Amino acid sequence: MVIACALLVTVACESAATPRADSVVPTSQQEHTADHRYLGMWVTADGRIRQQLLPSGRYDEARGARESAYTGRYEVRGSNIQYWDDSGFTADGVFVTENELHHGGMIFYRQPQ
């Protein structure tokens, strides 16, 4: 009984000390994100929504006059992108070409640097 209780306490302590998998980007994913070819500013045709994909694996999205309306982390795998917003929601998208991103029912175009 004592051994079982000690084991239970050990497992509970390890679980509490371990960050949630969806809250941390492992180093290998950070490196993968930083090296992808889609870094930079992506803008809708009307210019109202602007999304900056940063080399740190973070994004910053402006909507109209509201700067940093949405911020969070992202990960690119092949031509797919997954977003984890700081407010808690998730989203995804696909790079149709080197210069066109479909995300959230919108089409974004790469902004020349």
Side-chain angles (χ1 to χ4, degrees), residues 1-110:
M1 178 79 164
V2 173
I3 293 172
C5 289
L7 181 58
L8 183 57
V9 169
T10 301
V11 170
C13 289
E14 288 176 1
S15 295
T18 304
R20 288 180 19 209
D22 64 351
S23 66
V24 176
V25 179
T27 303
S28 63
Q29 288 178 358
Q30 287 175 340
E31 292 167 0
H32 176 76
T33 299
D35 292 339
H36 71 79
R37 64 184 183 262
Y38 301 112
L39 290 173
M41 181 66 75
W42 293 82
V43 182
T44 55
D46 62 5
R48 191 176 86 73
I49 302 174
R50 301 165 308 281
Q51 184 180 97
Q52 180 78 33
L53 300 180
L54 303 165
S56 63
R58 302 278 302 164
Y59 72 90
D60 190 323
E61 184 175 298
R63 295 203 169 209
R66 186 174 163 210
E67 296 296 323
S68 299
Y70 296 99
T71 59
R73 68 181 179 90
Y74 73 92
E75 181 180 317
V76 172
R77 297 239 180 225
S79 62
N80 296 304
I81 184 168
Q82 180 73 37
Y83 301 88
W84 292 270
D85 191 78
D86 292 339
S87 67
F89 72 84
T90 61
D92 60 8
V94 64
F95 295 95
V96 179
T97 70
E98 291 285 321
N99 297 306
E100 186 175 319
L101 165 63
H102 292 196
H103 158 64
M106 297 173 284
I107 299 173
F108 290 81
Y109 300 95
R110 184 189 297 271

